[in-house]
Amino acid sequence: MDKILVTGGLGFIGSHTVVELQNEGYEVVIIDDLSNSSESVLDGIISITGKTPIFEKLDLKDKAGVEAFFKNHNDIKGVIHFAASKAVGESVKEPLLYYENNISTLVYILKELQKLPSAGFIFSSSCTVYGQADELPITENATVKQAESPYGNTKQIGEEIISDTCKVTPNLKAIALRYFNPVGSHETAKIGELPIGVPQNLVPFITQTAIGIRQELSIFGDDYPTPDGTCIRDYIHVVDLAKAHVVALNRLLQNKNKSNYETFNLGTGTGSSVLEVVQAFEKVSGEKLNYKIVGRREGDIISAYANTTKANEELGWKTELNLEDAMRSAWKWEQVVRKKG
Ligand code: WQD
């Protein structure tokens, strides 16, 4: 079984991807610094797959630690790199924290991969690189715009670093996966999204409001030029997203990639407004959601949803779950997490 490193493997998307990698038969090694996750997520993974990944607590900013790790695991065939700070608002307040944590760690890992006989590298990127795209749905050729936040900039810079490195490293090939909005949880409700503090993202705020932790949801503006006035996003179920990482890794390890650096948009191809997300949640949960319309949130774009042609036709992947599946699983997860107390 090929050994795969998953950095940030105890995080929201990382843990769901570890499950799918194990289902595919890969041996998984997780590096996580536990700054935005907890070791108990390992129990959730094991209870789903019955397989125990190797886990090493390591801060990837520790260059010597990264070197020592790869000396220990020089049989790694691929890396899926999730580990990064990802709160847009925080990145505006603390840009250097984001440039150090998201960029230097990427450089340290790539330096180690250059030493291996061959390696496949999957990078967690984001539709945020497009900003407000001029054309919808958004294709991979859409202009990468001036980042709206240091967080978004670290994704753009990260893609450029990887592309430049692959050009001069014949044994390294990479794919950047540009996620739209990941939501939902594994159907077993044994793993899911665990935001620390007040959730910044819409869906965890909805489920925490429904369960009574939050008083009410504030909808940031209903005066946008959209059918119901609220912003539109492409909400992709995290399990579909996780499966796309396995498909992308297989593409590299089976040498099916068309070039040494490729990018794919990962979305459903369907845009949903904030109000439509609320309605989908109310429908599947039977809960009436308490919300109010407030002013717009700084930096929000009006509308973003993916053109999925390249992922469907070249990667050979498409989403199987819809918004209601995502809302149902997110609600089930919230209820389980709150029961655990
Ligand atoms: C979605 C919509 C809000 C909360 C961000 C990052 C992106 C990626 C996903 C990491 C927007 C509205 C939200 C609330 C609301 N993160 N909203 N009330 O901003 O599209 O994307 O998270 O990769 O990079 O930018 O996601 O869930 O924050 O917001 O009305 O309490 O919900 O205005 O229209 P976003 P989001």
Side-chain angles (χ1 to χ4, degrees):
M1 288 194 293
D2 283 347
K3 185 192 271 190
I4 305 300
L5 165 61
V6 180
T7 71
L10 295 183
F12 172 41
I13 306 169
S15 55
H16 286 83
T17 303
V18 168
V19 164
E20 300 307 329
L21 285 168
Q22 291 185 322
N23 291 343
E24 186 81 356
Y26 284 109
E27 181 190 357
V28 177
V29 185
I30 294 172
I31 286 178
D32 203 298
D33 66 0
L34 302 180
S35 63
N36 193 20
S37 58
S38 90
E39 209 166 332
S40 64
V41 173
L42 260 183
D43 302 331
I45 293 169
I46 297 164
S47 69
I48 294 169
T49 64
K51 297 172 189 165
T52 304
I54 301 168
F55 167 60
E56 296 206 14
K57 185 175 182 293
L58 175 64
D59 180 340
L60 293 172
K61 293 194 292 294
D62 168 7
K63 188 168 185 282
V66 173
E67 287 164 355
F69 172 87
F70 275 91
K71 272 208 181 68
N72 250 348
H73 295 279
N74 58 12
D75 53 345
I76 277 173
K77 294 288 182 294
V79 176
I80 303 184
H81 183 47
F82 292 105
S85 302
K86 61 151 203 149
V88 173
E90 182 188 50
S91 78
V92 174
K93 294 191 197 96
E94 310 236 20
L96 288 179
L97 186 146
Y98 273 67
Y99 289 118
E100 183 186 37
N101 193 42
N102 293 7
I103 302 297
S104 61
T105 54
L106 171 65
V107 170
Y108 298 159
I109 288 172
L110 291 174
K111 277 175 169 250
E112 294 308 311
L113 294 187
Q114 283 189 315
K115 299 172 193 170
L116 296 178
S118 87
F121 185 72
I122 306 287
F123 180 61
S124 167
S125 191
S126 169
C127 64
T128 207
V129 301
Y130 301 116
Q132 177 56 68
D134 302 326
E135 230 181 287
L136 294 169
I138 304 172
T139 71
E140 287 80 355
N141 304 322
T143 316
V144 173
K145 292 208 174 147
Q146 167 74 29
E148 315 240 337
S149 69
Y151 160 77
N153 205 21
T154 64
K155 291 303 179 185
Q156 291 180 8
I157 296 168
E159 289 193 5
E160 287 165 14
I161 291 170
I162 297 160
S163 172
D164 289 345
T165 307
C166 288
K167 280 181 195 140
V168 296
T169 316
N171 58 316
L172 177 64
K173 44 199 167 176
I175 290 175
L177 297 175
R178 294 171 176 170
Y179 313 153
F180 280 68
N181 288 55
V183 291
S185 299
H186 194 267
E187 60 184 0
T188 59
K190 292 184 183 303
I191 53 175
E193 196 166 5
L194 278 171
I196 295 174
V198 180
Q200 298 307 303
N201 294 131
L202 176 64
V203 173
F205 207 107
I206 286 176
T207 56
Q208 288 191 13
T209 301
I211 203 121
I213 296 174
R214 307 289 159 203
Q215 186 60 34
E216 66 182 355
L217 169 73
S218 297
I219 293 182
F220 300 137
D222 69 347
D223 57 349
Y224 285 95
T226 61
D228 67 18
T230 62
C231 295
I232 291 170
R233 297 288 185 275
D234 185 335
Y235 296 94
I236 175 172
H237 197 295
V238 67
V239 172
D240 278 330
L241 189 62
K243 288 178 177 175
H245 287 73
V246 178
V247 173
L249 182 72
N250 290 342
R251 178 182 177 88
L252 293 182
L253 299 191
Q254 292 159 19
N255 301 309
K256 291 185 179 148
N257 52 304
K258 290 232 172 69
S259 71
N260 252 15
Y261 174 67
E262 298 173 302
T263 60
F264 291 95
N265 286 348
L266 296 183
T268 65
T270 303
S272 301
S273 74
V274 176
L275 283 172
E276 285 170 332
V277 174
V278 170
Q279 283 144 21
F281 175 79
E282 291 182 326
K283 181 179 174 199
V284 301
S285 67
E287 301 284 331
K288 182 87 191 75
L289 195 76
N290 204 8
Y291 68 82
K292 68 181 176 194
I293 307 290
V294 298
R296 295 182 174 189
R297 178 173 69 176
E298 178 81 15
D300 270 340
I301 56 166
I302 302 164
S303 181
Y305 50 94
N307 178 315
T308 58
T309 307
K310 190 180 174 191
N312 299 160
E313 292 178 7
E314 268 191 57
L315 195 54
W317 163 90
K318 66 180 179 53
T319 51
E320 294 158 3
L321 298 164
N322 62 30
L323 183 63
E324 288 187 9
D325 297 322
M327 292 303 104
R328 191 176 297 112
S329 63
W331 180 229
K332 185 179 172 189
W333 166 250
E334 186 68 62
Q335 292 172 294
V336 165
V337 168
R338 296 312 151 197
K339 262 208 205 88
K340 276 185 203 156

